[in-house]
Amino acid sequence: EMDANERAFQTRIEADIKIEPKDWMPEGYRKTLIRQISQHAHSEIVGQLPEANWITRAPTLERKAILLAKVQDEAGHGLYLYCAAETLGVSRDQLLAQLHSGKAKYSSIFNYPTLNWADVGMIGWLVDGAAIMNQVPLQRCSYGPYSRAMIRICKEESFHQRQGYDALVKMCLHGTPEQKEMAQDSINRWWWPALMMFGPSDAQSVHSAQSMAWKIKINTNDELRQKFVDQTVPQADYLGLKIPDPDLKWNEEKGGYDFGEIDWDEFYQVIAGNGPCNKQRLSDRVKAWEDGQWYRDGLMAHARKKAERRSA
Ligand code: 3HC
């Protein structure tokens, strides 16, 4: 039985009136948002690592400049999302401690290795393509700070996807046979993990029902996954790349593609921390945090001195 506060809150949600930091909100709403926004921020920060691997190895100066700009954008998305999470009464240090201790999740996709330059194009096209599919609806999420952060982030994501696809067009349509093979090997490795980005099936999703009632989640995991497949298959056809799914078939009356079953054991293993690169990603982040301790100490000392001068 809802009490007056909860009824008023749900009325606002139904009326699509944004919930702002100072508004009353159910504890579960706050907790779900802290969980999702912080994990989203962690995804942006950890997501820089697979691509960083190729900044010094980019094939041309132009590709290096583009990749630098994209990775820098991801850092900004992370900081933006940590700010949105902080409006819910949690500190950045707490959130980072959860990431570094292995307690917090980040998107499963970043636990796969980037073995060659085709992977960098594949990440832009497939991973950012999936991220856009998942983030566009979040612009309409009921929590003001998260929705506004998403509006800004979605604008930059379209550049990320475009540059990845452009790199693949170069390799697949204007490159050598070896480059075409590299791209085919890459999609063989990244296709299924990209589908896993959308989360478990609706039947297995533990948060979807409540997140949809609170308009945190606007579409279900399977809906967005289906939209992603329907949009991406024609692009793969254009590139002349074969999608590694023998069950992929156009279904006329559904108006979409039927596709094979995802390897859910792999998905749950990766989000439990046992993917190919989980340990490496976490140790890279912990090392970066520890290496930056002197700098944070300097900033705090400087801020203290400034405050003392002001009050002297
Ligand atoms: N990776 C890691 N964990 C995942 C996951 C994935 N791909 N999909 C689901 N999970 C976790 C959930 O966090 C939850 O675990 P928890 O209770 O410990 O947090 C559990 O699996 C059950 O899944 P649910 O579907 O019930 O959970 P959600 O309702 O939270 O839905 C989600 C999962 C769709 C990923 C949702 O959390 C979401 O939309 N998150 C924000 C957007 C996001 O993170 N997008 C991908 C990031 S990629 C990116 O942004 C970088 C890009 O710029 C390249």
Side-chain angles (χ1 to χ4, degrees):
E1 165 57 22
M2 279 191 179
D3 69 17
N5 267 332
E6 279 174 341
R7 257 200 311 282
F9 173 83
Q10 200 55 40
T11 308
R12 286 188 67 164
I13 296 283
E14 313 296 334
D16 288 331
I17 298 169
K18 291 281 181 260
I19 305 299
E20 296 300 335
K22 294 206 179 344
D23 294 331
W24 184 89
M25 60 184 82
E27 212 28 51
Y29 180 81
R30 180 186 304 279
K31 271 178 60 195
T32 291
L33 282 167
I34 289 174
R35 171 186 69 82
Q36 178 165 330
I37 300 173
S38 62
Q39 288 179 178
H40 197 160
H42 296 329
S43 303
E44 303 282 4
I45 298 301
V46 174
Q48 297 172 82
L49 296 169
E51 294 176 308
N53 192 20
W54 287 91
I55 288 175
T56 54
R57 302 180 171 93
T60 67
L61 190 57
E62 184 203 28
R63 291 290 175 193
K64 183 202 280 264
I66 291 171
L67 187 54
L68 264 176
K70 174 182 191 298
V71 171
Q72 187 180 349
D73 280 352
E74 309 294 11
H77 296 174
L79 301 183
Y80 226 56
L81 287 166
Y82 284 130
C83 286
E86 285 171 330
T87 65
L88 291 156
V90 68
S91 81
R92 190 162 311 195
D93 283 356
Q94 282 171 304
L95 298 178
L96 289 170
Q98 286 166 5
L99 173 66
H100 300 151
S101 66
K103 192 168 159 295
K105 292 185 168 71
Y106 55 86
S107 190
S108 47
I109 191 71
F110 297 123
N111 292 306
Y112 291 86
T114 42
L115 306 179
N116 56 47
W117 182 254
D119 287 0
V120 176
M122 206 50 71
I123 286 181
W125 172 46
L126 282 193
V127 173
D128 285 73
I132 289 170
M133 197 58 83
N134 162 281
Q135 291 174 142
V136 163
L138 284 170
Q139 296 174 109
R140 301 203 316 275
C141 140
S142 57
Y143 188 57
Y146 194 24
S147 143
R148 291 188 289 272
M150 278 296 103
I151 291 167
R152 155 77 181 278
I153 285 170
C154 285
K155 288 191 175 62
E156 293 175 341
E157 289 289 359
S158 41
F159 146 62
H160 299 171
Q161 184 188 29
R162 197 77 235 136
Q163 62 81 35
Y165 193 67
D166 178 56
L168 291 174
V169 165
K170 198 115 184 136
M171 295 181 79
C172 295
L173 304 184
H174 312 301
T176 62
E178 292 77 16
Q179 287 172 330
K180 177 72 179 297
E181 272 160 44
M182 269 173 79
Q184 182 58 55
D185 162 63
S186 183
I187 195 168
N188 293 344
R189 288 183 283 109
W190 288 92
W191 175 255
W192 291 102
L195 296 194
M196 294 177 199
M197 282 175 72
F198 293 95
S201 67
D202 293 349
Q204 300 304 317
S205 169
V206 296
H207 301 301
S208 283
Q210 182 60 71
S211 288
M212 291 190 78
W214 280 331
K215 294 191 184 176
I216 293 171
K217 187 178 274 190
I218 308 295
N219 304 87
T220 73
N221 299 357
D222 287 334
E223 272 168 27
L224 292 180
R225 194 178 350 256
Q226 181 67 54
K227 267 179 82 175
F228 173 72
V229 170
D230 293 346
Q231 164 189 297
T232 308
V233 171
Q235 295 170 349
D237 293 346
Y238 178 76
L239 291 173
L241 293 179
K242 194 176 168 325
I243 293 203
D245 177 0
D247 301 326
L248 185 75
K249 192 166 50 43
W250 178 257
N251 177 325
E252 194 47 44
E253 81 249 25
K254 171 167 130 181
Y257 287 91
D258 290 333
F259 52 93
E261 192 52 24
I262 286 173
D263 178 347
W264 294 113
D265 291 343
E266 178 179 332
F267 171 74
Y268 285 107
Q269 276 302 321
V270 173
I271 70 172
N274 309 320
C277 302
N278 295 58
K279 303 230 175 337
Q280 178 69 46
R281 301 293 183 231
L282 224 40
S283 64
D284 287 351
R285 285 312 314 153
V286 171
K287 182 175 180 333
W289 175 257
E290 289 168 351
D291 288 354
Q293 185 61 51
W294 67 274
Y295 183 70
R296 291 190 298 278
D297 292 346
L299 282 180
M300 296 308 281
H302 177 69
R304 259 196 306 282
K305 284 201 188 100
K306 246 171 81 177
E308 280 153 18
R309 269 201 301 281
R310 245 201 321 271
S311 60

